[in-house]
Amino acid sequence: MKILFNLICKLIALKLLICASFAWAQVNTDLPTIDLKAGIYRIRAELADTPKTREIGLMNRTSMPTNSGMLFVFEQKAGHCFWMNNTKIPLSIAFIADDGKIVNIEEMQAETTNNHCPRAAVRYALEMNKNWFADRTLVPGALIQGLPK
């Protein structure tokens, strides 16, 4: 009986360690961040500017602070489309032109594979929590300041 109890305790401890490690990885991404501004709002955005970081994006995260997001930066302007496979939180995405103006904004449901695409070729896309742009009355044509060149 004692051996079984010790085994169960070890399994529980291992599960807790794995869960804690996963939660830590969700918060500590080691990605560089950039400060952006949208009207009077400040945004702290993680930078996804490599093929690998763009591929992973915000997958498997379970939350994101209110004025935080992820800025996707591409080398070339194109119709870069996004989907929400393995993304646990609903998001809004603003597709942004080189001059910083929002081209269009899409609302994206968690864990879906629908394509969300810009209406014009862009190099930037900014993902924020769902309805972040709408709640602040930020619409196409609004300016996002601080984008990397």
Side-chain angles (χ1 to χ4, degrees):
M1 193 66 161
K2 186 176 179 179
I3 294 172
L4 181 61
F5 178 76
N6 285 340
L7 180 62
I8 291 171
C9 288
K10 287 179 183 178
L11 288 173
I12 291 171
L14 179 61
K15 185 174 181 177
L16 288 172
L17 179 63
I18 290 169
C19 289
S21 297
F22 183 74
W24 183 86
Q26 294 294 314
V27 177
N28 299 289
T29 62
D30 293 329
L31 290 178
T33 60
I34 187 169
D35 291 321
L36 303 173
K37 192 173 176 189
I40 62 170
Y41 305 101
R42 295 198 179 280
I43 301 164
R44 173 66 106 191
E46 294 177 59
L47 210 49
D49 59 356
T50 66
K52 187 66 174 172
T53 57
R54 289 190 299 259
E55 179 184 337
I56 295 171
L58 292 169
M59 283 182 178
N60 297 312
R61 305 222 191 154
T62 55
S63 66
M64 186 165 57
T66 301
N67 290 319
S68 295
M70 182 169 280
L71 180 67
F72 294 80
V73 181
F74 297 90
E75 291 80 18
Q76 302 294 323
K77 287 180 11 177
H80 303 287
C81 295
F82 288 70
W83 65 348
M84 297 287 286
N85 192 40
N86 295 321
T87 306
K88 313 272 186 227
I89 53 178
L91 299 170
S92 295
I93 187 167
F95 295 100
I96 306 166
D98 282 352
D99 64 0
K101 289 184 182 172
I102 296 175
V103 173
N104 62 299
I105 299 169
E106 300 280 326
E107 300 299 326
M108 304 188 297
Q109 296 301 319
E111 297 283 355
T112 59
T113 56
N114 305 335
N115 279 326
H116 301 277
C117 305
R119 293 193 179 132
V122 298
R123 286 190 330 116
Y124 305 104
L126 177 61
E127 288 183 342
M128 301 292 287
N129 284 310
K130 186 169 176 57
N131 292 319
W132 189 90
F133 298 99
D135 290 347
R136 288 154 185 81
T137 321
L138 295 168
V139 297
L143 186 64
I144 303 294
Q145 296 174 302
L147 296 170
K149 300 297 177 192

